[in-house]
mmCIF file of all heavy atoms in Angstrom:
data_model
loop_
_atom_site.group_PDB
_atom_site.id
_atom_site.type_symbol
_atom_site.label_atom_id
_atom_site.label_comp_id
_atom_site.label_asym_id
_atom_site.label_seq_id
_atom_site.Cartn_x
_atom_site.Cartn_y
_atom_site.Cartn_z
ATOM 1 N N ASN A 361 -21.305 15.530 -7.873
ATOM 2 C CA ASN A 361 -22.675 15.177 -7.545
ATOM 3 C C ASN A 361 -22.973 13.812 -8.184
ATOM 4 O O ASN A 361 -22.038 13.101 -8.560
ATOM 5 C CB ASN A 361 -23.653 16.255 -8.067
ATOM 6 C CG ASN A 361 -23.436 16.512 -9.561
ATOM 7 O OD1 ASN A 361 -23.108 15.629 -10.324
ATOM 8 N ND2 ASN A 361 -23.601 17.787 -9.917
ATOM 9 N N GLU A 362 -24.246 13.475 -8.291
ATOM 10 C CA GLU A 362 -24.575 12.127 -8.777
ATOM 11 C C GLU A 362 -24.177 11.941 -10.240
ATOM 12 O O GLU A 362 -24.193 10.803 -10.740
ATOM 13 C CB GLU A 362 -26.086 11.839 -8.546
ATOM 14 C CG GLU A 362 -27.113 12.653 -9.305
ATOM 15 C CD GLU A 362 -27.233 14.122 -8.883
ATOM 16 O OE1 GLU A 362 -26.666 14.474 -7.784
ATOM 17 O OE2 GLU A 362 -27.816 14.895 -9.606
ATOM 18 N N LYS A 363 -23.748 13.011 -10.922
ATOM 19 C CA LYS A 363 -23.329 12.866 -12.293
ATOM 20 C C LYS A 363 -21.809 12.776 -12.417
ATOM 21 O O LYS A 363 -21.250 12.871 -13.479
ATOM 22 C CB LYS A 363 -23.876 14.010 -13.149
ATOM 23 C CG LYS A 363 -25.374 13.982 -13.222
ATOM 24 C CD LYS A 363 -25.898 15.065 -14.062
ATOM 25 C CE LYS A 363 -26.417 14.438 -15.342
ATOM 26 N NZ LYS A 363 -26.699 15.398 -16.409
ATOM 27 N N THR A 364 -21.164 12.657 -11.256
ATOM 28 C CA THR A 364 -19.686 12.540 -11.243
ATOM 29 C C THR A 364 -19.359 11.086 -10.884
ATOM 30 O O THR A 364 -19.855 10.583 -9.862
ATOM 31 C CB THR A 364 -19.010 13.429 -10.208
ATOM 32 O OG1 THR A 364 -19.610 14.737 -10.308
ATOM 33 C CG2 THR A 364 -17.538 13.539 -10.372
ATOM 34 N N GLU A 384 -16.528 10.856 1.513
ATOM 35 C CA GLU A 384 -16.930 12.232 1.139
ATOM 36 C C GLU A 384 -17.714 12.178 -0.177
ATOM 37 O O GLU A 384 -18.748 12.831 -0.335
ATOM 38 C CB GLU A 384 -15.642 13.067 0.980
ATOM 39 C CG GLU A 384 -15.801 14.440 0.345
ATOM 40 C CD GLU A 384 -16.545 15.425 1.220
ATOM 41 O OE1 GLU A 384 -16.838 15.124 2.374
ATOM 42 O OE2 GLU A 384 -16.884 16.540 0.712
ATOM 43 N N ALA A 385 -17.207 11.389 -1.166
ATOM 44 C CA ALA A 385 -17.895 11.293 -2.445
ATOM 45 C C ALA A 385 -19.311 10.734 -2.232
ATOM 46 O O ALA A 385 -20.278 11.225 -2.810
ATOM 47 C CB ALA A 385 -17.096 10.393 -3.359
ATOM 48 N N LYS A 386 -19.390 9.713 -1.410
ATOM 49 C CA LYS A 386 -20.710 9.097 -1.184
ATOM 50 C C LYS A 386 -21.655 10.064 -0.518
ATOM 51 O O LYS A 386 -22.857 10.092 -0.848
ATOM 52 C CB LYS A 386 -20.545 7.859 -0.306
ATOM 53 C CG LYS A 386 -19.905 6.706 -1.052
ATOM 54 C CD LYS A 386 -19.851 5.483 -0.214
ATOM 55 C CE LYS A 386 -19.893 4.272 -1.110
ATOM 56 N NZ LYS A 386 -20.728 3.232 -0.616
ATOM 57 N N SER A 387 -21.144 10.884 0.384
ATOM 58 C CA SER A 387 -21.991 11.828 1.082
ATOM 59 C C SER A 387 -22.557 12.852 0.075
ATOM 60 O O SER A 387 -23.539 13.513 0.388
ATOM 61 C CB SER A 387 -21.267 12.489 2.195
ATOM 62 O OG SER A 387 -20.391 13.473 1.693
ATOM 63 N N LYS A 388 -21.884 13.009 -1.058
ATOM 64 C CA LYS A 388 -22.392 13.959 -2.055
ATOM 65 C C LYS A 388 -23.078 13.233 -3.199
ATOM 66 O O LYS A 388 -23.201 13.758 -4.309
ATOM 67 C CB LYS A 388 -21.224 14.760 -2.594
ATOM 68 C CG LYS A 388 -20.670 15.729 -1.515
ATOM 69 C CD LYS A 388 -19.636 16.656 -2.054
ATOM 70 C CE LYS A 388 -19.542 17.894 -1.204
ATOM 71 N NZ LYS A 388 -18.340 18.660 -1.390
ATOM 72 N N SER A 389 -23.467 11.996 -2.957
ATOM 73 C CA SER A 389 -24.216 11.185 -3.898
ATOM 74 C C SER A 389 -23.471 10.829 -5.167
ATOM 75 O O SER A 389 -24.072 10.436 -6.192
ATOM 76 C CB SER A 389 -25.533 11.891 -4.304
ATOM 77 O OG SER A 389 -26.238 12.283 -3.194
ATOM 78 N N ALA A 390 -22.167 10.969 -5.166
ATOM 79 C CA ALA A 390 -21.411 10.588 -6.354
ATOM 80 C C ALA A 390 -21.126 9.086 -6.307
ATOM 81 O O ALA A 390 -20.596 8.594 -5.293
ATOM 82 C CB ALA A 390 -20.090 11.354 -6.409
ATOM 83 N N PRO A 391 -21.460 8.349 -7.351
ATOM 84 C CA PRO A 391 -21.128 6.911 -7.386
ATOM 85 C C PRO A 391 -19.612 6.697 -7.354
ATOM 86 O O PRO A 391 -18.847 7.451 -7.936
ATOM 87 C CB PRO A 391 -21.728 6.417 -8.699
ATOM 88 C CG PRO A 391 -22.784 7.430 -9.031
ATOM 89 C CD PRO A 391 -22.258 8.741 -8.493
#
Side-chain angles (χ1 to χ4, degrees):
N361 54 35
E362 66 289 348
K363 295 183 108 191
T364 314
E384 169 70 8
K386 288 184 150 221
S387 75
K388 291 186 158 163
S389 309

